[in-house]
Amino acid sequence: MWKRLAVVMVAALLIVSALFITKPNTDEGPIKLRLGHITGESDPWHLGALKFAELVKEKTGGEIEVEVYASSMLGNDRDLIEGMQIGSVDFALPAGVLSNFYSPYAILELPYLFRDKQHLENVLYGDVGNELKQSLLDNAEVRGLEFWMRTPRELTANKKIETPNDLRGLKIRVPEIPASIAAWEAMGATPTPMAFGEVYSSLQTGVIDAQENPVAFTASSKIQEVQKYMMMTDHVYGYVMLAMSEVTYQRLNESQRQAVEEAAKEATEYENQLVFEQEEQIINELKEFGTEFVEVDKGPFEAAAKSVHERFANMYGRELYDKIINTP
């Protein structure tokens, strides 16, 4: 009798377990997932995120709905990554701050590392990019879905900067990335690490004198309201990653995972085209607003910035650095 009772109890436990350890279902409505980023709603990141959300809903037949939160509503970049690690944030669009979670990403932030847009694409969409995504998953438990392109980072200030000498004493906001801090010090500035959400007010009150970001990011954040000049330094050809919480990924069933990955690829094509199409229009709008664009001789800036390359290559990954440099 006791033996039979034990068998019945085990069977009951297995049934209960199966009810809980199962793929997500939509009996009680769609699965709601959250995507956070730090840019404004006019930025290509946001428009790309909305496209991704639209595609996920379409490809899952409404089983998953992605809610997009702009302008640091879910926190700054570090908050978003930490949220993904524990599953409180499902998707995010981080970039340089990834180096705080997997240090070799710091190499990607070295000014004048990439020769041009094509070089960046060849790196990110080739073997090096695949290795970087896998290493991030292994070391930080964040799944890199796709790299999104950005236009080059440019410097803004309330005075013209035409040579590295003009950077002396200039307090410039930089991301919390050692490679960026060191490079701006080498170029002559006084770098001030700061979350981007604090930048506008810090420029407005004189806590900092300058910042650097791609044109679209600068414009969508209204930096033109507190900065007069934009120097076309093209110092970083960069990226943003459409990343996903591994906790969330493991909650989804196989068809849902496939739908998310397909949506990520299609949203990447959309964002990559949009970001470069928009730049000329945004520059014209900034000129009409009163922003003065300054063409600079990049050679002296590049020479100064490259003086720190060897140190960071040796610190964070000589092999990775050489692979990037040697990519056609």
Side-chain angles (χ1 to χ4, degrees):
M1 174 180 175
W2 290 109
K3 185 175 180 181
R4 182 181 301 172
L5 181 60
V7 170
V8 171
M9 289 178 67
V10 169
L13 285 170
L14 289 173
I15 292 169
V16 171
S17 298
L19 291 174
F20 286 96
I21 307 173
T22 186
K23 57 190 180 184
N25 64 72
T26 57
D27 292 345
E28 298 181 1
I31 300 167
K32 303 272 191 178
L33 302 180
R34 301 195 302 170
L35 187 161
H37 64 82
I38 64 172
T39 70
E41 294 186 357
S42 64
D43 192 271
W45 291 15
H46 184 69
L47 301 178
L50 292 177
K51 172 61 72 172
F52 171 67
E54 174 191 319
L55 289 165
V56 168
K57 184 174 182 179
E58 174 189 311
K59 290 177 181 294
T60 62
E63 290 181 8
I64 299 176
E65 292 183 2
V66 178
E67 300 169 339
V68 180
Y69 296 83
S71 303
S72 304
M73 289 176 65
L74 298 184
N76 62 36
D77 275 337
R78 181 184 285 274
D79 298 328
L80 292 170
I81 295 171
E82 290 173 349
M84 284 191 290
Q85 289 180 314
I86 64 173
S88 62
V89 174
D90 302 297
F91 302 97
L93 295 172
V97 77
L98 287 168
S99 64
N100 291 299
F101 297 85
Y102 178 58
S103 58
Y105 271 79
I107 290 175
L108 301 180
E109 300 305 311
L110 285 168
Y112 300 105
L113 173 69
F114 296 102
R115 297 184 295 274
D116 50 31
K117 172 178 174 283
Q118 188 61 56
H119 183 208
L120 175 66
E121 287 183 349
N122 292 347
V123 170
L124 295 185
Y125 298 130
D127 292 341
V128 175
N130 290 333
E131 289 174 18
L132 284 166
K133 287 191 287 187
Q134 186 60 51
S135 296
L136 183 67
L137 179 59
D138 294 341
N139 289 274
E141 297 184 348
V142 171
R143 180 172 291 269
L145 294 174
E146 293 291 336
F147 289 105
W148 288 4
M149 299 296 290
R150 305 177 74 183
T151 56
R153 296 176 84 97
E154 316 293 2
L155 172 66
T156 70
N158 280 323
K159 70 170 187 176
K160 284 186 180 182
I161 307 294
E162 297 178 302
T163 71
N165 286 336
D166 297 329
L167 291 171
R168 300 293 172 192
L170 192 80
K171 293 176 291 184
I172 177 173
R173 177 270 175 181
V174 295
E176 299 174 68
I177 302 166
S180 183
I181 294 168
W184 281 105
E185 284 178 342
M187 286 188 276
T190 302
T192 304
M194 181 184 294
F196 189 76
E198 303 171 31
V199 170
Y200 185 97
S201 61
S202 296
L203 289 168
Q204 195 173 37
T205 57
V207 173
I208 53 175
D209 306 310
Q211 67 88 48
E212 45 83 49
N213 264 302
V215 170
F217 193 115
T218 296
S220 68
S221 304
K222 309 298 183 185
I223 298 299
Q224 64 272 20
E225 296 176 354
V226 288
Q227 298 267 266
K228 171 71 174 174
Y229 298 98
M230 180 174 286
M231 276 56 66
M232 306 303 284
T233 47
D234 293 350
H235 53 276
V236 173
Y237 281 87
Y239 69 95
V240 61
M241 177 184 281
L242 175 56
M244 181 177 187
S245 166
E246 184 63 7
V247 176
T248 303
Y249 186 83
Q250 293 301 328
R251 285 175 48 212
L252 304 183
N253 63 40
E254 192 58 40
S255 65
Q256 291 166 342
R257 292 176 186 176
Q258 183 177 344
V260 166
E261 290 166 353
E262 289 177 1
K265 287 186 182 300
E266 292 182 30
T268 298
E269 294 173 7
Y270 173 83
E271 195 276 347
N272 284 358
Q273 181 175 352
L274 180 66
V275 70
F276 287 98
E277 284 179 352
Q278 276 195 350
E279 186 176 49
E280 186 176 348
Q281 176 188 343
I282 293 170
I283 287 175
N284 289 333
E285 290 172 357
L286 289 174
K287 286 179 178 177
E288 289 177 9
F289 183 84
T291 301
E292 186 172 331
F293 287 78
V294 181
E295 296 294 335
V296 302
D297 177 1
K298 301 179 188 69
F301 292 93
E302 182 175 356
K306 281 190 171 181
S307 68
V308 305
H309 279 210
E310 286 295 307
R311 171 155 57 101
F312 282 89
N314 293 331
M315 188 184 306
Y316 292 121
R318 164 59 63 180
E319 183 180 356
L320 172 61
Y321 179 83
D322 288 344
K323 283 181 179 179
I324 291 171
I325 294 299
N326 294 324
T327 296

